[in-house]
Amino acid sequence: MIADMSRFRLVGLASQRKAILETLQRTGSVEVSPAAGDASLYTPLATSDTCALLEKIIKASEDASEVLDRVAPDKSAKAGMFAGRAVVSANDFDSFYQRSNLVYRTALDIISDDKAIAAAQNEISKLEARRLALAPWLSLPVPLNFAGTENTRVFVGSFEGQRSREQIMEAAAAAAPELSLYDMEIVAARKEQTCVLAVVHRDEARAFEQALTSVGFIKPAAETQLNPQAEDANLVRQIETHKKNEAAAAARIGEASKKRADILFLADHCRMRLAKYEAMRNVAQGEYTVLLEGWVEKSKARKLADKLEKSYDCVIELTEPEDGDDVPIKLVNNKFAGAIESVLTGFGLPQRGEADPLNVMALFYYALFGLMFSDAGYGIILTGACFYILKKYKNLEDGMKNSMRMFMGCGIATTFWGFVFGSFFGNVVGRVSDIFGSGTVALKPLWYDPVAEPMRLLMFSFVIGIAHLSAAYIMKAVSYVRAGKAKEILFDVIFPLFTFYALLGMLVGTSMFATMAGSAIPVPAWLNTICMGVAAACAIGIILFGGRESRSWVKRILKGAYALYNVVAGWLGDVLSYARLLALGLATGVIATVMNDLAGMGGKGFAGAVMFVLIFIIGQTLNFAINVLGAYVHTNRLMYVEFFGKFYEGGGRAFAPLTIKTKNYKMVVEE
């Protein structure tokens, strides 16, 4: 159900502002909204700078934590989606403030060391690239930029591809036949390039350089006066220095990993403070007093007010919401319905005055899921797995806990329908008996076998669909009553419902229905006449009042006719949509049976038993995974489209109280 809300208004001493907000945060009961105080007495609190600083600290803590996980991972940490967060007390958070600055400094040092590691690795990559480029020249006795002697010029460079000395000399001679005072030596020849050292008399140097360039000569980039061997040794020393710097930074990070818990704690500590300072933006500050307004659950309002007035010098006023107020929505349900609350909120919270459909929705959700999965073996596995997780992991997050409860409920429904239809991992009981036993043992359905009588299951699926859609119209009537629009029930609920029921009553007695259902249902002529009369009367009512918002009778009739078409066509399409119960229910059992047949092809004996077990496990696991997903998706689809489409608007604003919002630790507040 939707919790009733009270408007909360507090006036207290400005000196107690922080303590009051911390108390509200730890109770998690009040949503703080912008205070509407007298502008001459109160002004909004400026907290932007503090919020920005806290966000900066949170970012630094998260970055430092990411560095620790990457550079010095905690191998002893519990992992997995079921581990939950470590539980701490409020006193732990209070005492942490004393050392928060030191922990923040540690986080910044970790980030700085990580940048130092990245810089060292970048420099090492550059130096290694230089060594790689220098490798062909290691046998060269002079620097790469050596220019020559008093009477000679030296050219050090390379040609693309592998060439011989003769080929290069011939190319140079062809380019400059007048030259003769030069010589050339191959330093290194590889497939990619040929490195050469050429010497020429200074008088022919310019022409010789032009000749070399014309045949593809390229000078290397020279950054040092050392010869290649000495330069390579220098690069090696630089690389070793950077590696030592990298190792030292990594060691400091490893040492700082001892503060991992404190760094995570710092992020949560600042998240709590940030939530408080963001709430302060909505608090009005006077010279001596503060004004705080918001919303609180009505059932908790008086107790909270008494606690605050007893602890602080303040006055609290609790009032009922007025028309036009933007009242937040909070759902309060039992475990049965609350388990599927995420399905509802995924579509949207109900608006103020709208009925909470969760209890009705939960009943059909479990039934529909079970019908589509409908195998007792799969249901037992699903139920058992969820039950085990709930019992073993006591510190589950609320969202995960509700998911486990939801799927456990779905598993129970699946087990029920599985025994009703006689499916336990398909026909595994009978198949095992046929192959390895006497062939006389089989699991009999409590009702009937849908594989043998699929039309019967189709008719049952339509009955479930009609019940589900009828429940949607009932919820629509409840919403009208809550909104003070009871007279609208006649036009938007009774007329559409009884139009369909009457048409259905007329259809039941026809030969077409008998063919589909496999048996005829006799309908007396007088009952058929009543159904015709009810259908006609309700159809006329829809035509006359379906467009009642229009003043023009012409528009009203046209809109009413269109509304009648939507009722008939909509009901027909929606009911047919529940044929998916047949499709998915049969698919689960038939695929499981096929897997059992494949597993039994090995026959009797040890080899046949091993083959049976392997194929059974693999096949049933795949079938389980595929069909549990299909059942979940299609159950949600029936809820969102067919069920909600008849009555639910949604769009409510979620209740967002000032509370403890942490990521790494779960804080427990003692009352």
PDB file of all heavy atoms in Angstrom, residues 628-651:
ATOM      1  N   VAL A 628      13.840 -19.904 -17.907  1.00  0.00           N
ATOM      2  CA  VAL A 628      13.630 -19.029 -16.747  1.00  0.00           C
ATOM      3  C   VAL A 628      13.711 -17.570 -17.181  1.00  0.00           C
ATOM      4  O   VAL A 628      12.952 -16.709 -16.690  1.00  0.00           O
ATOM      5  CB  VAL A 628      14.645 -19.333 -15.622  1.00  0.00           C
ATOM      6  CG1 VAL A 628      16.028 -18.807 -15.943  1.00  0.00           C
ATOM      7  CG2 VAL A 628      14.165 -18.744 -14.298  1.00  0.00           C
ATOM      8  N   LEU A 629      14.595 -17.284 -18.134  1.00  0.00           N
ATOM      9  CA  LEU A 629      14.667 -15.925 -18.675  1.00  0.00           C
ATOM     10  C   LEU A 629      13.405 -15.589 -19.453  1.00  0.00           C
ATOM     11  O   LEU A 629      12.843 -14.493 -19.307  1.00  0.00           O
ATOM     12  CB  LEU A 629      15.902 -15.790 -19.572  1.00  0.00           C
ATOM     13  CG  LEU A 629      16.089 -14.440 -20.272  1.00  0.00           C
ATOM     14  CD1 LEU A 629      16.260 -13.322 -19.249  1.00  0.00           C
ATOM     15  CD2 LEU A 629      17.293 -14.481 -21.210  1.00  0.00           C
ATOM     16  N   GLY A 630      12.936 -16.532 -20.274  1.00  0.00           N
ATOM     17  CA  GLY A 630      11.716 -16.290 -21.037  1.00  0.00           C
ATOM     18  C   GLY A 630      10.510 -16.070 -20.149  1.00  0.00           C
ATOM     19  O   GLY A 630       9.685 -15.175 -20.396  1.00  0.00           O
ATOM     20  N   ALA A 631      10.396 -16.871 -19.085  1.00  0.00           N
ATOM     21  CA  ALA A 631       9.271 -16.705 -18.162  1.00  0.00           C
ATOM     22  C   ALA A 631       9.317 -15.349 -17.478  1.00  0.00           C
ATOM     23  O   ALA A 631       8.285 -14.676 -17.318  1.00  0.00           O
ATOM     24  CB  ALA A 631       9.282 -17.831 -17.128  1.00  0.00           C
ATOM     25  N   TYR A 632      10.503 -14.925 -17.081  1.00  0.00           N
ATOM     26  CA  TYR A 632      10.651 -13.629 -16.412  1.00  0.00           C
ATOM     27  C   TYR A 632      10.278 -12.485 -17.355  1.00  0.00           C
ATOM     28  O   TYR A 632       9.511 -11.588 -16.988  1.00  0.00           O
ATOM     29  CB  TYR A 632      12.091 -13.476 -15.931  1.00  0.00           C
ATOM     30  CG  TYR A 632      12.408 -12.119 -15.334  1.00  0.00           C
ATOM     31  CD1 TYR A 632      11.898 -11.740 -14.109  1.00  0.00           C
ATOM     32  CD2 TYR A 632      13.203 -11.215 -16.028  1.00  0.00           C
ATOM     33  CE1 TYR A 632      12.183 -10.494 -13.566  1.00  0.00           C
ATOM     34  CE2 TYR A 632      13.493  -9.970 -15.496  1.00  0.00           C
ATOM     35  CZ  TYR A 632      12.986  -9.611 -14.269  1.00  0.00           C
ATOM     36  OH  TYR A 632      13.261  -8.370 -13.744  1.00  0.00           O
ATOM     37  N   VAL A 633      10.795 -12.517 -18.563  1.00  0.00           N
ATOM     38  CA  VAL A 633      10.537 -11.435 -19.527  1.00  0.00           C
ATOM     39  C   VAL A 633       9.057 -11.364 -19.882  1.00  0.00           C
ATOM     40  O   VAL A 633       8.449 -10.279 -19.877  1.00  0.00           O
ATOM     41  CB  VAL A 633      11.390 -11.638 -20.795  1.00  0.00           C
ATOM     42  CG1 VAL A 633      10.947 -10.677 -21.891  1.00  0.00           C
ATOM     43  CG2 VAL A 633      12.868 -11.431 -20.486  1.00  0.00           C
ATOM     44  N   HIS A 634       8.451 -12.507 -20.162  1.00  0.00           N
ATOM     45  CA  HIS A 634       7.052 -12.490 -20.611  1.00  0.00           C
ATOM     46  C   HIS A 634       6.082 -12.227 -19.464  1.00  0.00           C
ATOM     47  O   HIS A 634       4.998 -11.665 -19.692  1.00  0.00           O
ATOM     48  CB  HIS A 634       6.725 -13.799 -21.321  1.00  0.00           C
ATOM     49  CG  HIS A 634       7.323 -13.892 -22.693  1.00  0.00           C
ATOM     50  ND1 HIS A 634       6.760 -13.272 -23.787  1.00  0.00           N
ATOM     51  CD2 HIS A 634       8.457 -14.486 -23.137  1.00  0.00           C
ATOM     52  CE1 HIS A 634       7.504 -13.511 -24.853  1.00  0.00           C
ATOM     53  NE2 HIS A 634       8.542 -14.226 -24.497  1.00  0.00           N
ATOM     54  N   THR A 635       6.444 -12.601 -18.252  1.00  0.00           N
ATOM     55  CA  THR A 635       5.601 -12.237 -17.109  1.00  0.00           C
ATOM     56  C   THR A 635       5.598 -10.725 -16.921  1.00  0.00           C
ATOM     57  O   THR A 635       4.537 -10.112 -16.704  1.00  0.00           O
ATOM     58  CB  THR A 635       6.101 -12.929 -15.826  1.00  0.00           C
ATOM     59  OG1 THR A 635       6.110 -14.337 -16.016  1.00  0.00           O
ATOM     60  CG2 THR A 635       5.199 -12.595 -14.654  1.00  0.00           C
ATOM     61  N   ASN A 636       6.764 -10.112 -17.016  1.00  0.00           N
ATOM     62  CA  ASN A 636       6.837  -8.649 -16.920  1.00  0.00           C
ATOM     63  C   ASN A 636       6.054  -8.000 -18.052  1.00  0.00           C
ATOM     64  O   ASN A 636       5.384  -6.981 -17.861  1.00  0.00           O
ATOM     65  CB  ASN A 636       8.294  -8.191 -16.972  1.00  0.00           C
ATOM     66  CG  ASN A 636       9.033  -8.470 -15.679  1.00  0.00           C
ATOM     67  OD1 ASN A 636       8.428  -8.843 -14.679  1.00  0.00           O
ATOM     68  ND2 ASN A 636      10.335  -8.312 -15.690  1.00  0.00           N
ATOM     69  N   ARG A 637       6.133  -8.578 -19.232  1.00  0.00           N
ATOM     70  CA  ARG A 637       5.423  -8.017 -20.383  1.00  0.00           C
ATOM     71  C   ARG A 637       3.914  -8.052 -20.155  1.00  0.00           C
ATOM     72  O   ARG A 637       3.206  -7.068 -20.438  1.00  0.00           O
ATOM     73  CB  ARG A 637       5.797  -8.831 -21.630  1.00  0.00           C
ATOM     74  CG  ARG A 637       5.427  -8.151 -22.942  1.00  0.00           C
ATOM     75  CD  ARG A 637       4.102  -8.615 -23.455  1.00  0.00           C
ATOM     76  NE  ARG A 637       3.790  -8.003 -24.743  1.00  0.00           N
ATOM     77  CZ  ARG A 637       2.580  -7.956 -25.254  1.00  0.00           C
ATOM     78  NH1 ARG A 637       1.557  -8.443 -24.572  1.00  0.00           N
ATOM     79  NH2 ARG A 637       2.366  -7.408 -26.426  1.00  0.00           N
ATOM     80  N   LEU A 638       3.394  -9.152 -19.628  1.00  0.00           N
ATOM     81  CA  LEU A 638       1.958  -9.229 -19.352  1.00  0.00           C
ATOM     82  C   LEU A 638       1.550  -8.218 -18.293  1.00  0.00           C
ATOM     83  O   LEU A 638       0.438  -7.674 -18.334  1.00  0.00           O
ATOM     84  CB  LEU A 638       1.595 -10.648 -18.903  1.00  0.00           C
ATOM     85  CG  LEU A 638       1.631 -11.736 -19.987  1.00  0.00           C
ATOM     86  CD1 LEU A 638       1.412 -13.109 -19.374  1.00  0.00           C
ATOM     87  CD2 LEU A 638       0.584 -11.463 -21.063  1.00  0.00           C
ATOM     88  N   MET A 639       2.449  -7.964 -17.343  1.00  0.00           N
ATOM     89  CA  MET A 639       2.140  -6.974 -16.312  1.00  0.00           C
ATOM     90  C   MET A 639       2.156  -5.561 -16.886  1.00  0.00           C
ATOM     91  O   MET A 639       1.228  -4.769 -16.675  1.00  0.00           O
ATOM     92  CB  MET A 639       3.156  -7.078 -15.164  1.00  0.00           C
ATOM     93  CG  MET A 639       3.015  -8.321 -14.328  1.00  0.00           C
ATOM     94  SD  MET A 639       1.439  -8.332 -13.431  1.00  0.00           S
ATOM     95  CE  MET A 639       1.418 -10.035 -12.853  1.00  0.00           C
ATOM     96  N   TYR A 640       3.188  -5.228 -17.614  1.00  0.00           N
ATOM     97  CA  TYR A 640       3.362  -3.865 -18.101  1.00  0.00           C
ATOM     98  C   TYR A 640       2.344  -3.493 -19.182  1.00  0.00           C
ATOM     99  O   TYR A 640       1.835  -2.370 -19.194  1.00  0.00           O
ATOM    100  CB  TYR A 640       4.773  -3.684 -18.667  1.00  0.00           C
ATOM    101  CG  TYR A 640       5.864  -3.639 -17.626  1.00  0.00           C
ATOM    102  CD1 TYR A 640       7.183  -3.903 -17.960  1.00  0.00           C
ATOM    103  CD2 TYR A 640       5.585  -3.346 -16.296  1.00  0.00           C
ATOM    104  CE1 TYR A 640       8.200  -3.859 -17.009  1.00  0.00           C
ATOM    105  CE2 TYR A 640       6.587  -3.307 -15.350  1.00  0.00           C
ATOM    106  CZ  TYR A 640       7.888  -3.561 -15.708  1.00  0.00           C
ATOM    107  OH  TYR A 640       8.875  -3.522 -14.767  1.00  0.00           O
ATOM    108  N   VAL A 641       2.071  -4.402 -20.085  1.00  0.00           N
ATOM    109  CA  VAL A 641       1.230  -4.072 -21.245  1.00  0.00           C
ATOM    110  C   VAL A 641      -0.236  -4.385 -20.982  1.00  0.00           C
ATOM    111  O   VAL A 641      -1.103  -3.508 -21.051  1.00  0.00           O
ATOM    112  CB  VAL A 641       1.730  -4.817 -22.502  1.00  0.00           C
ATOM    113  CG1 VAL A 641       0.840  -4.489 -23.704  1.00  0.00           C
ATOM    114  CG2 VAL A 641       3.172  -4.447 -22.803  1.00  0.00           C
ATOM    115  N   GLU A 642      -0.540  -5.652 -20.679  1.00  0.00           N
ATOM    116  CA  GLU A 642      -1.944  -6.040 -20.528  1.00  0.00           C
ATOM    117  C   GLU A 642      -2.540  -5.546 -19.205  1.00  0.00           C
ATOM    118  O   GLU A 642      -3.623  -4.953 -19.186  1.00  0.00           O
ATOM    119  CB  GLU A 642      -2.075  -7.568 -20.628  1.00  0.00           C
ATOM    120  CG  GLU A 642      -2.151  -8.092 -22.047  1.00  0.00           C
ATOM    121  CD  GLU A 642      -0.837  -7.998 -22.793  1.00  0.00           C
ATOM    122  OE1 GLU A 642       0.217  -8.053 -22.133  1.00  0.00           O
ATOM    123  OE2 GLU A 642      -0.858  -7.867 -24.021  1.00  0.00           O
ATOM    124  N   PHE A 643      -1.845  -5.777 -18.094  1.00  0.00           N
ATOM    125  CA  PHE A 643      -2.400  -5.449 -16.779  1.00  0.00           C
ATOM    126  C   PHE A 643      -2.378  -3.948 -16.523  1.00  0.00           C
ATOM    127  O   PHE A 643      -3.421  -3.322 -16.306  1.00  0.00           O
ATOM    128  CB  PHE A 643      -1.609  -6.202 -15.712  1.00  0.00           C
ATOM    129  CG  PHE A 643      -2.178  -6.086 -14.319  1.00  0.00           C
ATOM    130  CD1 PHE A 643      -3.428  -6.583 -14.016  1.00  0.00           C
ATOM    131  CD2 PHE A 643      -1.452  -5.485 -13.300  1.00  0.00           C
ATOM    132  CE1 PHE A 643      -3.952  -6.486 -12.733  1.00  0.00           C
ATOM    133  CE2 PHE A 643      -1.952  -5.382 -12.016  1.00  0.00           C
ATOM    134  CZ  PHE A 643      -3.202  -5.889 -11.736  1.00  0.00           C
ATOM    135  N   PHE A 644      -1.198  -3.329 -16.562  1.00  0.00           N
ATOM    136  CA  PHE A 644      -1.096  -1.898 -16.300  1.00  0.00           C
ATOM    137  C   PHE A 644      -1.827  -1.058 -17.349  1.00  0.00           C
ATOM    138  O   PHE A 644      -2.295   0.040 -17.051  1.00  0.00           O
ATOM    139  CB  PHE A 644       0.371  -1.479 -16.252  1.00  0.00           C
ATOM    140  CG  PHE A 644       1.101  -1.933 -15.018  1.00  0.00           C
ATOM    141  CD1 PHE A 644       2.482  -1.857 -14.936  1.00  0.00           C
ATOM    142  CD2 PHE A 644       0.414  -2.440 -13.922  1.00  0.00           C
ATOM    143  CE1 PHE A 644       3.159  -2.276 -13.798  1.00  0.00           C
ATOM    144  CE2 PHE A 644       1.081  -2.867 -12.792  1.00  0.00           C
ATOM    145  CZ  PHE A 644       2.460  -2.785 -12.732  1.00  0.00           C
ATOM    146  N   GLY A 645      -1.888  -1.572 -18.566  1.00  0.00           N
ATOM    147  CA  GLY A 645      -2.522  -0.796 -19.631  1.00  0.00           C
ATOM    148  C   GLY A 645      -3.990  -0.516 -19.400  1.00  0.00           C
ATOM    149  O   GLY A 645      -4.560   0.388 -20.021  1.00  0.00           O
ATOM    150  N   LYS A 646      -4.622  -1.268 -18.507  1.00  0.00           N
ATOM    151  CA  LYS A 646      -6.057  -1.094 -18.266  1.00  0.00           C
ATOM    152  C   LYS A 646      -6.370  -0.035 -17.203  1.00  0.00           C
ATOM    153  O   LYS A 646      -7.479   0.491 -17.155  1.00  0.00           O
ATOM    154  CB  LYS A 646      -6.675  -2.432 -17.841  1.00  0.00           C
ATOM    155  CG  LYS A 646      -6.693  -3.468 -18.947  1.00  0.00           C
ATOM    156  CD  LYS A 646      -7.697  -3.088 -20.023  1.00  0.00           C
ATOM    157  CE  LYS A 646      -7.730  -4.101 -21.147  1.00  0.00           C
ATOM    158  NZ  LYS A 646      -6.545  -4.050 -22.000  1.00  0.00           N
ATOM    159  N   PHE A 647      -5.403   0.260 -16.337  1.00  0.00           N
ATOM    160  CA  PHE A 647      -5.768   1.159 -15.239  1.00  0.00           C
ATOM    161  C   PHE A 647      -4.615   2.018 -14.716  1.00  0.00           C
ATOM    162  O   PHE A 647      -4.835   3.077 -14.141  1.00  0.00           O
ATOM    163  CB  PHE A 647      -6.308   0.339 -14.055  1.00  0.00           C
ATOM    164  CG  PHE A 647      -5.254  -0.410 -13.290  1.00  0.00           C
ATOM    165  CD1 PHE A 647      -4.727   0.094 -12.107  1.00  0.00           C
ATOM    166  CD2 PHE A 647      -4.765  -1.622 -13.761  1.00  0.00           C
ATOM    167  CE1 PHE A 647      -3.742  -0.598 -11.407  1.00  0.00           C
ATOM    168  CE2 PHE A 647      -3.792  -2.318 -13.063  1.00  0.00           C
ATOM    169  CZ  PHE A 647      -3.282  -1.806 -11.890  1.00  0.00           C
ATOM    170  N   TYR A 648      -3.383   1.564 -14.890  1.00  0.00           N
ATOM    171  CA  TYR A 648      -2.271   2.165 -14.144  1.00  0.00           C
ATOM    172  C   TYR A 648      -1.641   3.305 -14.931  1.00  0.00           C
ATOM    173  O   TYR A 648      -1.302   3.161 -16.103  1.00  0.00           O
ATOM    174  CB  TYR A 648      -1.221   1.086 -13.858  1.00  0.00           C
ATOM    175  CG  TYR A 648      -0.170   1.489 -12.855  1.00  0.00           C
ATOM    176  CD1 TYR A 648      -0.492   1.714 -11.527  1.00  0.00           C
ATOM    177  CD2 TYR A 648       1.153   1.639 -13.248  1.00  0.00           C
ATOM    178  CE1 TYR A 648       0.479   2.062 -10.611  1.00  0.00           C
ATOM    179  CE2 TYR A 648       2.139   1.985 -12.328  1.00  0.00           C
ATOM    180  CZ  TYR A 648       1.784   2.199 -11.013  1.00  0.00           C
ATOM    181  OH  TYR A 648       2.749   2.542 -10.107  1.00  0.00           O
ATOM    182  N   GLU A 649      -1.499   4.444 -14.271  1.00  0.00           N
ATOM    183  CA  GLU A 649      -0.869   5.600 -14.893  1.00  0.00           C
ATOM    184  C   GLU A 649       0.588   5.758 -14.451  1.00  0.00           C
ATOM    185  O   GLU A 649       1.473   6.023 -15.257  1.00  0.00           O
ATOM    186  CB  GLU A 649      -1.655   6.874 -14.551  1.00  0.00           C
ATOM    187  CG  GLU A 649      -3.055   6.906 -15.159  1.00  0.00           C
ATOM    188  CD  GLU A 649      -3.774   8.210 -14.884  1.00  0.00           C
ATOM    189  OE1 GLU A 649      -3.116   9.138 -14.356  1.00  0.00           O
ATOM    190  OE2 GLU A 649      -4.969   8.307 -15.181  1.00  0.00           O
ATOM    191  N   GLY A 650       0.851   5.596 -13.163  1.00  0.00           N
ATOM    192  CA  GLY A 650       2.215   5.744 -12.662  1.00  0.00           C
ATOM    193  C   GLY A 650       2.664   7.198 -12.714  1.00  0.00           C
ATOM    194  O   GLY A 650       1.865   8.130 -12.864  1.00  0.00           O
ATOM    195  N   GLY A 651       3.956   7.397 -12.584  1.00  0.00           N
ATOM    196  CA  GLY A 651       4.504   8.750 -12.623  1.00  0.00           C
ATOM    197  C   GLY A 651       4.639   9.401 -11.279  1.00  0.00           C
ATOM    198  O   GLY A 651       4.957  10.595 -11.190  1.00  0.00           O
TER     199      GLY A 651
END
